[in-house]
Amino acid sequence: MSDGIVNAPTSVFFGVVAASGLALCARRARDELDERTVPLAGLVAAFIFAVQMVNFPILPGVSGHLLGGALAAILVGPYTGALCIAIVLIVQSLLFADGGVSALGTNITNMALIGVTAGYVTAVSVAAALRRTHN
């Protein structure tokens, strides 16, 4: 989502939601990070950054692209995965003007917090169902 898609009160609201969610993720990511996952988190963020740079237009000011939240959550855990996606979105917004600064909170909420959570819950549910069918 680019600048101007959401009004100022909505932008501020989602900025607070995103900051609160990322603060929780930063605290919880300490339990997920170890010697193996720290470099993997960097690789995940770099890969998702590269594939998210390929955009296709949906509406004026809105583009679609691979989100990568489920992949990040599966590889490095949901909290670290959300931080990886948020970092990608911040870099894209500030350095490449891909997604607006005023829409950053909305984009982080949609893609990093909700996207990662939905992807992780789905992956865990599918894995549990597959385990039940094989036992």
Side-chain angles (χ1 to χ4, degrees):
M1 199 179 300
S2 61
D3 284 326
I5 299 294
V6 295
N7 61 16
T10 303
S11 181
V12 170
F13 172 76
F14 280 107
V16 171
V17 170
S20 301
L22 292 178
L24 172 69
C25 289
R27 282 193 304 271
R28 297 284 179 100
R30 293 178 189 163
D31 297 332
E32 294 175 342
L33 293 171
D34 58 22
E35 292 176 4
R36 183 187 72 79
T37 55
V38 169
L40 183 59
L43 290 173
V44 165
F47 175 75
I48 291 170
F49 176 81
V51 296
Q52 273 193 202
M53 290 304 287
V54 178
N55 296 328
F56 54 91
I58 296 176
L59 297 170
V62 179
S63 63
H65 49 77
L66 174 76
L67 295 180
L71 176 66
I74 291 166
L75 292 176
V76 294
Y79 301 109
T80 304
L83 292 175
C84 288
I85 300 294
I87 290 167
V88 167
L89 292 170
I90 292 167
V91 169
Q92 285 179 333
S93 175
L94 296 177
L95 297 182
F96 295 97
D98 186 13
V101 174
S102 68
L104 190 56
T106 308
N107 287 333
I108 288 173
T109 300
N110 286 335
M111 291 186 258
L113 301 178
I114 295 171
V116 169
T117 301
Y120 186 73
V121 168
T122 302
V124 168
S125 300
V126 168
L130 289 173
R131 273 192 227 115
R132 281 193 303 270
T133 60
H134 282 96
N135 288 336

